[in-house]
Structures are given as C-alpha cells and as structure tokens.
Amino acid sequence: MSFRALIFVSYLFFVLNAVADSNTTNRTFVEYIDEKQEKISKKVINIFDGIDRGISRWISSGDEDLYCDEREKKRVDSFFEEQRSIDEFFKGEVYIEESEASFIQVRLGTLFQSKESTSFSPRIRAQIPLIRSQESLQFFVDDINEDDLSKTLPNNKEKGADVGVSYFAPLYKNIRSKYSLGVKGLSAYASARYSKDFKYENWLIKPVQQFKYSSKYDFSEETNIYFDKILNEHSLFRTTLHRKTQASIDGFDYAVIFAYYLALSDRKGFSISQEFWGNSKYVCDAAPERYSGISDYSSSVSWRQDIFRKWITYEIKPSISFHRQYDYEPNYKLGFYVDFYFGNID
C-alpha cells in the first residue's frame, strides 16, 4: 500500500469509527468528534513531548524551563506580531518553515484542470519540535504534492514523502540558521536555510537563502526575498522575489509573486495572488527551443474557513494559468482542500 493510500484509509477508519460509536451514545456527533480530536491531539502532544524529554535528558541540555521562557520571549519580541498571526492563520510556507508547534496535518485535496486530468492528492505533514533541548531539534514528515502552487517550479522534479530531522542553530547576528538531514522518495539529502528580518518603516523584509544537496538530484540553491506590509490589523500585502538554480538543469528559475491576505475573523479569510514564473533557458515539449521570458502567468483566489471547529478547515482555490506549454491558452483550475489538525497548532 502506498503512503498516500495509507493516509486515505486511516482517515476513512477514523470517520467510520466515529460514526459507529456515536450511534451507541447519547452524545451528539459533534460532541463525540470534538472529544476524539482532543484525545488524539493530547496523544500527539504527549508522544512528541516524551520524545523531546528523552532526547533532552540524553544530551544533558540543562534547564528546560529557562529555555522555554527564552523561546516564549523570542516569540513575543518578534517583528510584526500581526504578520505572524496572519501567516499562522493561512499556514503558508513561511509559517511552516519557522513554526515550532507540534502538530499533525492531514490534507485531502482535489484539483480540477481544463488542460489536464483531475488529480486527488491526500497529504500528511507532521512536526515534532524538541524545544527543551538547547540544540533545538525538530523531526518532520512532509508528503509533498504538486497541488502546492508555491512549490510547483517550472523544472521541479523532486517528488515523494520527505522525512528527516532539522537543527535550529543559535542566532548569529540575528541570522536564523536551520540545517536538515532527510530522505525524499528514494534519495537522501542535506540542506541549510538562512534568514534574517529587516524592519524598514512599515515594511518587514525577510531574505531567505537555501542550499540543498541530494544524492539523486545533485546540488540546488534558491533565494526568496519577502517584502511584507501590514495594511491593518487583519490584512497583509506580500511581494516575493524568487530565484533558483539546479546542477542538472540549464539556466535558473525566477518568479515574482504578489499576494494579498485578509483574515476576516479568527475562523475565515481569503487571499488573492498574481504570479509570474520563468526560466532563463526554459524548454518544453510544445516549444523545444530555449526561451528566457516568462513561461507561466497565473492568477488565483483562495477562500479558507473552519468547518464547525477550528481543527477542520476547508479551502477553495479557483485559478487561471497561461503557460507556454499550452501556447499561453488559459488553463482553468479549481482546487478544493480539507485539512485536519491534531496537536497544539492553532
């Protein structure tokens, strides 16, 4: 049984078990589901916390309470609390990369396209931060699929479940460093991520540099620069500049992304984005000659909202893409996703 099939079967087992048990009790179905989710979340937190304590004792990291206090102070003193809270609600790539929460996320998604066949993409993601250890270790599991538009690069070939461990190094001149060892598909890899925040008037500027060496895909490096501006307490405008090179691919990828995020409440919000993707030496089956211009223009709108409870969230994402592969003819897309969260992620 494949990894994604296992996710889907596990989800069906959870739902059927909940329905069966709810018929034998006087409690309502919603109350029963809430109780089940709370129990699973407590188990997730306790298991992750037990791993954390064990490793902390093994490496003799010192006073864990002091370290947790320092971690909380660092969170409160961070730039733009509004920006962090909006990222936390939408749970985008920036938030996930820097989050220290213990959680398991199960995502069921379907993507309809006018130019390609419909795809169903179950996904599981888990983070186990070891916050008591001064080494700041974190285990992670990430079954990445192509439904993530931010990860769908023009020449992206890396696919499969991503499992590994990350080490968050102490701050050096306010530079955050994250080093990871993992296995993606059938290839092992090592990566390094560096980021730093700059505050300029009402803007938060975050340059991020990543390096990665894979036993299958060789060396790659990429740069992302985020320009964030808080428009009010609940909205964020973000401009992203992206550039990436890979040893096995000629030229380099580049992109410019403009996005607007608005959290209407703590339960619902929407985003609008305009993306431009290209490669300095792009080729495809429809146009085999090298091309250095923009190869994909895409616009999307996303609506995200809780379903009955905060731990169940759905997202509807209609979009339109004009790709060189289809002679820039419109490719209409409609994505529908449902997320289930277990753990201490809000």
Side-chain angles (χ1 to χ4, degrees), residues 140 158 162 165 178-184 187-193 210-216 218-220:
F140 61 86
E158 299 187 44
D162 194 351
V165 60
K178 177 181 176 181
Y179 304 93
S180 302
L181 293 174
V183 177
K184 186 178 182 65
S187 64
Y189 72 86
S191 66
R193 181 182 189 272
Q210 300 182 68
F211 302 94
K212 183 175 182 179
Y213 179 80
S214 170
S215 60
K216 181 178 180 180
D218 210 343
F219 177 79
S220 66

Side-chain angles (χ1 to χ4, degrees), residues 39 66 93 124 140 243 262 303 327:
K39 288 183 178 179
L66 176 61
E93 183 178 0
I124 188 169
F140 61 86
R243 183 201 57 79
L262 175 62
W303 176 268
D327 294 326

Side-chain angles (χ1 to χ4, degrees), residues 100-120:
E100 296 181 354
S102 301
F103 72 91
I104 293 177
Q105 176 199 42
V106 177
R107 160 167 282 208
L108 304 179
T110 302
L111 180 63
F112 302 92
Q113 300 186 66
S114 61
K115 293 292 185 180
E116 297 182 19
S117 59
T118 300
S119 60
F120 174 71

